[in-house]
Amino acid sequence: MTNRLSSFNRFPSAFAIVAASALAFTGLIASTAPAHAQPQSGDYRCTALAEQAQGAADTVQSGKQASAKRFVAAGNKLCEAGNERAAAKQYRTALKIAGVAEAQGDSQVASR
């Protein structure tokens, strides 16, 4: 009978340990959420590079303009989906079609 009473007394402390562990695990999962769940609004590839590609696509001759604009549109969709790396490839292809060199900046080097 003493055995049962002593195991019952240990239950609240065991429950507190399990609850604290679950809370810590939940915090860990929340802090390591996938990249697509955490918006990257300041990424060079989806801001400055996108603007540069859009401007180049607008100024290129009409024969290449439609192709360049398709690459820019595809890059915009990829940025919305959170895939900045693939979007940058699309924007750089649009710049290449337009015959424009990509502007180099400090923020670009930091984001690669």
Side-chain angles (χ1 to χ4, degrees):
M1 180 96 173
T2 311
N3 234 355
R4 286 186 183 175
L5 185 58
S6 64
S7 350
F8 180 74
N9 286 338
R10 284 186 250 156
F11 177 75
S13 61
F15 181 73
I17 291 170
V18 170
S21 298
L23 186 60
F25 182 72
T26 303
L28 176 67
I29 294 299
S31 68
T32 59
H36 61 82
Q38 299 172 352
Q40 304 258 338
S41 61
D43 195 329
Y44 162 80
R45 297 169 289 190
C46 288
T47 55
L49 185 58
E51 291 172 15
Q52 184 183 5
Q54 181 65 50
D58 290 340
T59 60
V60 74
Q61 61 182 346
S62 62
K64 296 180 179 181
Q65 187 175 29
S67 179
K69 284 192 173 197
R70 276 195 303 272
F71 280 103
V72 170
N76 291 340
K77 291 290 184 182
L78 288 166
C79 278
E80 289 173 11
N83 192 346
E84 292 84 8
R85 184 175 183 186
K89 289 180 182 180
Q90 297 295 312
Y91 294 139
R92 289 181 178 120
T93 303
L95 288 171
K96 187 181 239 182
I97 291 170
V100 176
E102 180 181 351
Q104 297 287 332
D106 291 338
S107 62
Q108 175 189 3
V109 174
S111 69
R112 283 191 180 190

